[in-house]
Amino acid sequence: MNILAIIASPRGMKGNTGRLLEEVLVGVKETGAETEILSLSSVKVQPCVGCDHCHKTGICIIKDDYEGIKAKLLASDGFILASPNYIFSVTAQMKAFFDRCNGLIHCMALEGKYAAVVETSGGGEDADVISYMERVVNTLGATSVGGIGSPMAGIRTFPEEANLYGKARALGCELCHCIREKRQFPEQDQFLDAFRSMDIRPGRIHEGVLGVRA
Ligand SMILES: Cc1cc2nc3c(=O)[nH]c(=O)nc-3n(C[C@H](O)[C@H](O)[C@H](O)COP(=O)(O)O)c2cc1C
C-alpha cells in the first residue's frame, strides 16, 4: 500500500505542519504502508487559467509539475493533504493545486480512495480549514477518514504535544485500516451521490484524466 502526502507549507517539512504530518506518517508506516512526501513548495504548480481544456480532454494545458502529481495521486492507494491555516484557509500553494485538480473533480476521479487531512495554525480556527480540505477530498470522489489540526505553541511545538501526536499517529493507522477494509462512511456517501448526480459531471472518466494521452 502506498500513501502520498501532499504538504503545502512554504516551509516544506521543516515547519509546524511538517512536524504534525511526520507523526501521522509514523502511524501510516506502523501498518506496513509505504509513504511518499510531496512538498508543493519544491515543485511548480501554477494557478489555473480557466481555459476548460481539462474538462474536454482531461489534460491540463499548463506545462509544469501538476500532471506528474496527478499521476502519483492516481497511482496511490490513499493520500494526505497537509496545509497551514493562511487567513482562514489553506495556503496559496494548496489552493492553486486544488484549482488545477478541477479535471479530476469533474470526474470524481479519486473514487474508491481514502484520505486524511492535517492542518496547523497560529491561533486556532483549525476546524474550518480541516472541513474545507475534507470537502475537497469528497469532491475529488474520495472518502475522508478524518483530520487533525492544532494551533502551534512555538516553532515545531504544540500545546499538549504528547496527546496530539498520539492522535496524529492514530489517524495515520486509521487511514490504512480504512483502505484495507474498504470502510464505509454513509454520511459521506450521501454527499458523493449528490455530487455524482450533478450535471457538470460528464458521466465517464476521460482517458486523459487517467494520464492516457490520445
Ligand atoms: C500569511 C500567513 C497567514 C496566516 N494566517 C493565519 C490565520 O488566519 N489564522 C491562524 O490561526 N494562523 C495563521 N497563520 C499562522 C500559521 O497558520 C501557523 O504559523 C502555522 O503553524 C504555520 O505552519 P508551517 O510552519 O507549516 O508553515 C498565518 C501565517 C502566515 C505566514
Side-chain angles (χ1 to χ4, degrees), residues 50-70:
C51 68
D52 238 20
H53 195 262
C54 64
H55 287 161
K56 293 176 191 132
T57 68
I59 300 282
C60 181
I61 55 152
I62 302 173
K63 300 288 173 244
D64 61 11
D65 294 316
Y66 168 71
E67 287 289 335
I69 303 171
K70 186 179 92 178

Side-chain angles (χ1 to χ4, degrees), residues 8-9 28 32 46 56 89 104 139 148 150 156-157 170 190 199 212:
S9 166
V28 168
Q46 297 172 64
K56 293 176 191 132
S89 188
L104 291 177
T139 54
I148 188 154
S150 173
R156 286 172 66 84
T157 62
Q190 273 181 10
D199 287 345
V212 182

Side-chain angles (χ1 to χ4, degrees), residues 142-162:
T143 300
S144 173
V145 308
I148 188 154
S150 173
M152 58 161 185
I155 298 168
R156 286 172 66 84
T157 62
F158 299 93
E160 298 180 44
E161 207 163 72

Side-chain angles (χ1 to χ4, degrees), residues 7-19 83-89 91 119-126 150-152 154-156 158:
I7 178 162
S9 166
R11 297 169 175 164
M13 286 299 285
K14 294 190 179 132
N16 303 324
T17 315
R19 180 69 197 95
S83 176
N85 178 337
Y86 268 22
I87 319 299
F88 323 123
S89 188
T91 59
E119 179 267 5
T120 68
S121 66
E125 289 172 329
D126 306 297
S150 173
M152 58 161 185
I155 298 168
R156 286 172 66 84
F158 299 93

